[in-house]
Amino acid sequence: CWPTVRFVMHGVAAESGVSEQPRGSAETRKGAIARARHAAALFSAGRGGEVADFAVGLEGGVEEEERLAEDGVEGLDSMMCCAWMAVLQPPSGKWGIARSGSFPLPPKVAELVRGGMELGPADDAVFGVRTAQRVDLRRCSDAAVYRSARIRSRATAASVF
């Protein structure tokens, strides 16, 4: 896409401002947007006011899909997993926001989530695996801030929005 451009990512532990296990698309989207804003602020505060080119926030959530039974689909649980991503370009204030596809959770996982467990630990309990939730997110892209080292002009960066 940009073969002559080098991107440098600075991961930060940005807060979402939503519940630990967001429920519904609206709460999940709100969390992604808040993470992007918070990531931009953390980047700026940690670098003497420097403004990031892009700030990215990701949030995963669950939602009940009540229409499965109405549509004659049997055997699938109605709890679905979804995610939202928000990309903020702090210099311009422009946003890019998108939602992932969703998929039904296995019934045992959905049961644990409905009982109050977060999705990551519920996956661990059912499948016996370690989730990315407990990986150091500052080294991942959960609330990453991208800082370009070689973008020739901010106008070039703005053209992707």
Side-chain angles (χ1 to χ4, degrees), residues 28-38 57 59 85-86 95 97:
T28 307
R29 182 181 59 245
K30 182 179 177 181
I33 292 167
R35 283 189 194 279
R37 282 189 177 122
H38 191 213
E59 188 69 44
M85 179 175 81
W95 286 89
I97 300 174

Side-chain angles (χ1 to χ4, degrees), residues 113-148:
V113 172
R114 285 188 187 105
M117 190 179 282
E118 289 180 51
L119 181 55
D123 278 340
D124 287 354
V126 172
F127 298 110
V129 297
R130 178 184 162 106
T131 66
Q133 186 174 23
R134 281 179 286 293
V135 171
D136 184 355
L137 294 178
R138 290 168 294 180
R139 297 179 61 201
C140 297
S141 61
D142 184 38
V145 178
Y146 291 89
R147 177 71 184 153
S148 168

Side-chain angles (χ1 to χ4, degrees), residues 13-85:
E15 296 294 325
S16 69
V18 297
S19 63
E20 288 294 316
Q21 180 56 73
R23 292 182 182 269
S25 189
E27 183 182 13
T28 307
R29 182 181 59 245
K30 182 179 177 181
I33 292 167
R35 283 189 194 279
R37 282 189 177 122
H38 191 213
L42 288 171
F43 179 89
S44 185
R47 288 166 184 76
E50 181 181 3
V51 177
D53 291 324
F54 300 99
V56 178
L58 301 176
E59 188 69 44
V62 296
E63 61 186 347
E64 294 287 351
E65 180 54 73
E66 311 272 332
R67 295 180 305 236
L68 289 176
E70 294 171 13
D71 293 339
V73 176
E74 301 298 327
L76 287 179
D77 198 282
S78 62
M79 183 170 274
M80 309 288 269
C81 180
C82 70
W84 278 89
M85 179 175 81

